[in-house]
């Protein structure tokens, strides 16, 4: 089999010797010796190769995207399972909720629900952002996986005006 990248035309010259012009890729003869049919076949081969390469690249990219999506979904499912296995809803007999990504303890008699508005205790950051006093928050999740000390929710917030 001829090396596609290091070959010569080989067609007979006027002197009868083989042409020594280097050709590559889809070409079957040099520009001087190639017939219209040779040129058409070489162009069809190039076009087919390019289309095949493009199709293969697109197929590979599509497969990769699909695989990434499946893996991301699986990671999400496993994170949810781990979260649920570690999540606690009460600590010391008091409800625990997530407000803005932070866990708080609720000592009220009526349990909180997701979406309930609450007043959170002042802290260093809230004082800088909102001034002194409690800050409004919304319960985003019931329970927590956090195991450190918790601040108490001050109270339920007054109903929103609207």
């Amino acid at each position: 089999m001829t090396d596609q990248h290091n070959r010569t035309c080989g067609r007979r010259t006027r002197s009868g010797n083989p042409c020594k012009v280097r050709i590559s890729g889809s070409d079957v003869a040099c520009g001087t010796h190639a017939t219209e049919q040779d040129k058409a076949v070489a162009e069809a081969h190039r076009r087919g190769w390019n289309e095949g390469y493009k199709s293969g690249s697109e197929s590979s990219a599509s497969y990769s995207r699909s695989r990434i999506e499946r893996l991301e979904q699986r990671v999400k499912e496993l994170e949810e399972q781990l979260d649920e296995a570690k999540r606690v809803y009460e600590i010391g007999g008091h409800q625990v909720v997530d407000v803005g990504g932070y866990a708080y303890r609720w000592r009220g008699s009526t349990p909180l629900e997701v979406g309930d508005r609450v007043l959170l205790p002042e802290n260093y950051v809230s004082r800088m952002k909102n001034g002194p006093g409690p800050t409004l928050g919304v319960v985003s999740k019931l329970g927590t996986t956090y195991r450190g000390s918790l601040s108490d929710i001050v109270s339920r917030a007054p109903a929103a005006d609207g």
Side-chain angles (χ1 to χ4, degrees):
M1 183 169 184
T2 309
D3 181 1
Q4 290 288 341
H5 299 289
N6 189 17
R7 56 196 173 101
T8 58
C9 172
R11 300 266 169 101
R12 297 278 174 230
T13 62
R14 287 188 199 152
S15 66
N17 295 324
C19 176
K20 299 212 187 279
V21 172
R22 296 210 178 277
I23 59 172
S24 64
S26 302
D27 294 329
V28 293
C30 70
T32 303
H33 295 109
T35 64
E36 289 305 313
Q37 182 178 351
D38 292 338
K39 292 174 185 175
V41 167
E43 180 53 33
H45 182 270
R46 271 191 286 278
R47 192 170 45 253
W49 191 91
N50 288 335
E51 289 172 7
Y53 181 84
K54 181 180 175 187
S55 175
S57 294
E58 289 171 357
S59 176
S60 175
S62 174
Y63 173 77
S64 293
R65 282 190 302 274
S66 172
R67 178 109 172 104
I68 288 167
E69 288 171 6
R70 284 193 309 274
L71 289 171
E72 286 174 341
Q73 180 60 35
R74 183 65 180 137
V75 166
K76 182 180 175 192
E77 290 168 1
L78 291 171
E79 285 174 338
E80 289 171 357
Q81 288 175 9
L82 182 60
D83 177 90
E84 195 55 39
K86 293 174 65 181
R87 183 164 291 278
V88 293
Y89 296 89
E90 277 190 8
I91 294 178
H94 300 286
Q95 185 181 19
V96 180
V97 296
D98 183 292
V99 180
Y102 294 95
Y104 290 90
R105 181 177 33 234
W106 171 241
R107 294 179 186 260
S109 58
T110 308
L112 294 171
E113 301 287 332
V114 171
D116 284 351
R117 295 163 29 101
V118 293
L119 292 177
L120 305 174
E122 175 187 318
N123 62 40
Y124 173 75
V125 175
S126 70
R127 183 177 184 90
M128 286 181 16
K129 283 176 72 175
N130 307 316
T135 304
L136 181 65
V138 177
V139 175
S140 55
K141 199 178 254 188
L142 301 180
T144 186
T145 58
Y146 177 70
R147 295 295 188 259
S149 61
L150 301 174
S151 295
D152 290 333
I153 293 174
V154 175
S155 66
R156 289 181 186 269
D161 294 336

